[in-house]
Amino acid sequence: MVGPAAKREAVAHLRTALAMSERRACTIIAADRTMIRYRSRRPPDTELRTRLRDLANQRRRFGYRRLFILLRDQGEPSGINRIYRLYREEGLTVRKRRARRRAVGTRTPILVEAKINARWSLDFVHDQFALGRRFRILNIVDDVTRECLAAIPDTSISGKRVDRELTALIARRGKPRMVVSDNGTEFTSNAILGWAKNHGVEWHYIAPGKPMQNGYIESFNGRMRDELLNESLFLDLDQARQIIDAWVADYNTARPHSSLGYKTPAAYAHQLTAPKGVSPAEALIANG
């Protein structure tokens, strides 16, 4: 019992259960009587608590830092310490899921210029419908801006399908300098090897068993799993496409990203394309 609240509860218990006097209970607990008699004069913050609870219910996998950013964007003047106190008092702490074991090893950093389309990452995420049929999602992420460029769900995605999706994406966004992926059969097929050669794009394969060499897409997959797939029940493919498209749009334009100084990926991409001088420290970023 090191905090004032715990000591007040202990004194109240001794007085109620054992009929002790306040003086005797304070002596046993080693608490000052003025502290026991103190009553907080803080305002109840009812409206702010309600907004915080509603926002936490909408964003069930967001911690207090991202909730603070969203409240600040809504015009809330309270500081982060106040939001954190209310966050704890309301019992909104996010339950941590047990982490998976990760491959351990050394990596050589790959220097990437801090600009749009410097490097894309590709990977698959698997899930299943309510009736048990499995489907997969092809995720494509810009490693610099952290934007999700595409999240394509389907029951089967071949190398030729990946070829078509990348070609369509290039037509909308432009060509990447490098693409990073694992050694899955879809990414090592003749269709992808021919696509990379025809478009003049360097395709880098990570070492087998080293998923963190493709850390940006792995981080994105974890966020998608935690905030979307584990929180949603998909009835069919059409519904899955609608829900995933809406989540991707929210991820790019509304969700604060901690690695970007709590800017959204779209806002950070706009900042990179804005005409201004770039400092040497921002010229390169390191990735393992």
Side-chain angles (χ1 to χ4, degrees), residues 28 32 75 122 124 144 175 191 205 225 232 237 245 252 265 269 274 284:
I28 293 175
D32 190 272
L122 280 71
F124 286 100
V144 174
K175 185 175 67 175
Y205 294 101
R225 174 75 60 189
S232 304
L237 189 58
D245 286 346
N252 287 334
L284 295 176

Side-chain angles (χ1 to χ4, degrees), residues 128-244:
Q128 63 181 18
F129 300 118
L131 297 180
R133 186 181 183 186
R134 297 188 64 81
F135 70 98
R136 58 199 327 209
I137 306 169
L138 172 63
N139 287 329
I140 307 175
V141 171
D142 188 310
D143 289 353
V144 174
T145 66
R146 310 299 203 273
E147 292 173 286
C148 177
L149 307 181
I152 304 154
D154 211 331
T155 54
S156 177
I157 300 178
S158 64
K160 292 183 178 180
R161 174 70 181 280
V162 176
D163 179 334
R164 295 197 301 270
E165 297 294 345
L166 287 174
T167 302
L169 183 57
I170 284 178
R172 298 194 307 267
R173 184 181 175 88
K175 185 175 67 175
R177 182 172 299 178
M178 176 188 292
V179 174
V180 181
S181 74
D182 58 22
N183 295 270
T185 55
E186 300 83 4
F187 301 137
T188 57
S189 64
N190 290 331
I192 293 300
L193 296 178
W195 180 90
K197 181 178 179 181
N198 294 335
H199 288 81
V201 175
E202 179 183 356
W203 198 291
H204 175 75
Y205 294 101
I206 65 174
K210 306 290 185 181
M212 289 314 297
Q213 290 184 5
N214 203 9
Y216 291 136
I217 193 72
E218 291 292 336
S219 176
F220 174 80
N221 290 346
R223 301 286 73 75
M224 172 179 276
R225 174 75 60 189
D226 187 45
E227 298 175 11
L228 174 66
L229 302 183
N230 289 344
E231 300 289 322
S232 304
L233 181 65
F234 303 108
L235 301 179
D236 52 35
L237 189 58
D238 289 338
Q239 184 200 34
R241 286 170 176 161
Q242 294 175 5
I243 295 176
I244 290 171

